[in-house]
Structure formats: C-alpha cells, structure tokens
C-alpha cells in the first residue's frame, strides 16, 4: 500500500551545502521532518555540483518520512555562469551587461531540457534566449537553423 502524501515543499539550496539554518530548517521543522536526515541525504546526492543553486522538491508523507527530487540549476544562474557576470541588468531594455553565443544557449537548453515544458531543442533554446534577453544579456549571431 502506498504512503499517504501530506504535502510538498519547494526550496532552492546550494549543492552539497544544506544545513539546518534557514531556509531548510524552518521549512522542514514546521512539518515535523527530520532536518539532519534530509541534509545528509541532500549533501551526499549533490556533492558533485557543490556551490551551484539547485531547486529541490521535497514530498513528505503522513508518517513524517520524505522523498526528494533534485532538479537542474535555474536558467538565470546558468546564464550568469556562462556570461561570467554577477547579476542581470536592472534595465534590460536599455543597459546590456553581457553576451552569450548560441552554442552556450544550446548547452544550457540541453542541460535544462528535462525540467522545461517544451518538446524540441529549438524551442528550449528560444526559452533560454528569452530569459537571457530579460536579464540584459544579448545572444550573439543568428538563430541556428540546423538543430
């Protein structure tokens, strides 16, 4: 018989660096979930991507047990890494902060593809390019036709 799902919690935590302090501690503690058990499992599973911000969806059950799914880094974080900038532009339509190539956009789209709601690589690349545009990051060149 399947366990009864009590709810879900969505957090963004740096890979390999989960600890009981906020935001992890209060979010899990208020639901009665063992915080240290989650931190140990999360850190073990995300050690390879240490320091990157990773979204995690925690499903907790009525018996206080839990499962969690770690997703890939958010597109804005990957774009800032690729463009080597600290943050996006406050005025993206007027002030551009960096630029990326279509090859970099393609690499980000391929990495993020399981988490996006699109079916083709071309549409995923357009979504990533739109995020870049809204951050004040320009995409150099023409959209590649042979994807």
């Amino acid at each position: 018989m399947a366990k009864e799902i009590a709810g879900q919690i969505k957090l963004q935590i740096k890979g390999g660096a989960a600890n009981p302090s906020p935001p992890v501690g209060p979010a899990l503690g208020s639901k009665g979930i063992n915080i240290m058990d989650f931190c140990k499992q999360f850190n073990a599973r995300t050690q390879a991507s240490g320091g990157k911000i990773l979204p995690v969806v925690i499903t907790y059950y009525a018996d206080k047990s839990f499962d969690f799914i770690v997703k890939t880094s958010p597109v804005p974080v990957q774009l800032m890494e690729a463009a080597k900038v600290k943050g996006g532009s406050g005025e993206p339509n007027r002030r551009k902060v960096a630029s990326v190539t279509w090859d970099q956009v393609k690499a980000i789209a391929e990495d993020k593809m399981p988490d996006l709601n699109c079916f083709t690589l071309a549409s995923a690349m357009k979504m990533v390019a739109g995020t870049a545009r809204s951050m004040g990051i320009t995409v150099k060149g023409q959209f590649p036709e042979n994807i």
Side-chain angles (χ1 to χ4, degrees), residues 52 73-88 97-109 111-112 124-139:
K52 288 186 181 180
S73 290
V75 172
V77 172
Q78 292 185 18
L79 281 167
M80 288 188 296
E81 266 180 23
K84 295 178 180 61
V85 291
K86 294 249 188 260
V97 292
S99 61
V100 292
T101 64
W102 280 107
D103 290 334
Q104 291 172 311
V105 169
K106 183 177 180 181
I108 293 170
D111 182 45
K112 195 66 179 167
M125 287 174 64
K126 288 178 183 176
M127 290 175 83
V128 172
T131 302
R133 200 172 304 114
S134 71
M135 294 175 64
I137 298 173
T138 57
V139 182

Side-chain angles (χ1 to χ4, degrees), residues 2-135:
K3 296 180 186 178
E4 181 185 343
I5 295 175
Q8 283 188 333
I9 303 170
K10 295 180 181 179
L11 298 171
Q12 290 191 354
I13 310 168
K14 286 191 176 187
N19 55 23
S21 64
V24 178
L28 299 181
S30 65
K31 310 297 186 208
I33 300 168
N34 186 336
I35 300 166
M36 284 312 297
D37 190 29
F38 168 77
C39 290
K40 287 177 185 173
Q41 288 182 33
F42 179 83
N43 291 340
R45 205 185 292 182
T46 61
Q47 214 150 24
S49 57
K52 288 186 181 180
I53 296 174
L54 300 172
V56 60
V57 179
I58 306 163
T59 305
Y60 59 96
Y61 303 100
D63 65 351
K64 306 297 184 208
S65 63
F66 63 90
D67 290 330
F68 63 95
I69 300 168
V70 180
K71 300 192 175 208
T72 56
S73 290
V75 172
V77 172
Q78 292 185 18
L79 281 167
M80 288 188 296
E81 266 180 23
K84 295 178 180 61
V85 291
K86 294 249 188 260
S89 173
E91 300 175 328
N93 59 337
R94 292 191 182 96
R95 191 171 56 88
K96 304 297 181 189
V97 292
S99 61
V100 292
T101 64
W102 280 107
D103 290 334
Q104 291 172 311
V105 169
K106 183 177 180 181
I108 293 170
E110 287 171 344
D111 182 45
K112 195 66 179 167
M113 193 73 170
D115 296 337
L116 295 176
N117 59 348
C118 55
F119 297 109
T120 64
L121 183 59
S123 59
M125 287 174 64
K126 288 178 183 176
M127 290 175 83
V128 172
T131 302
R133 200 172 304 114
S134 71
M135 294 175 64

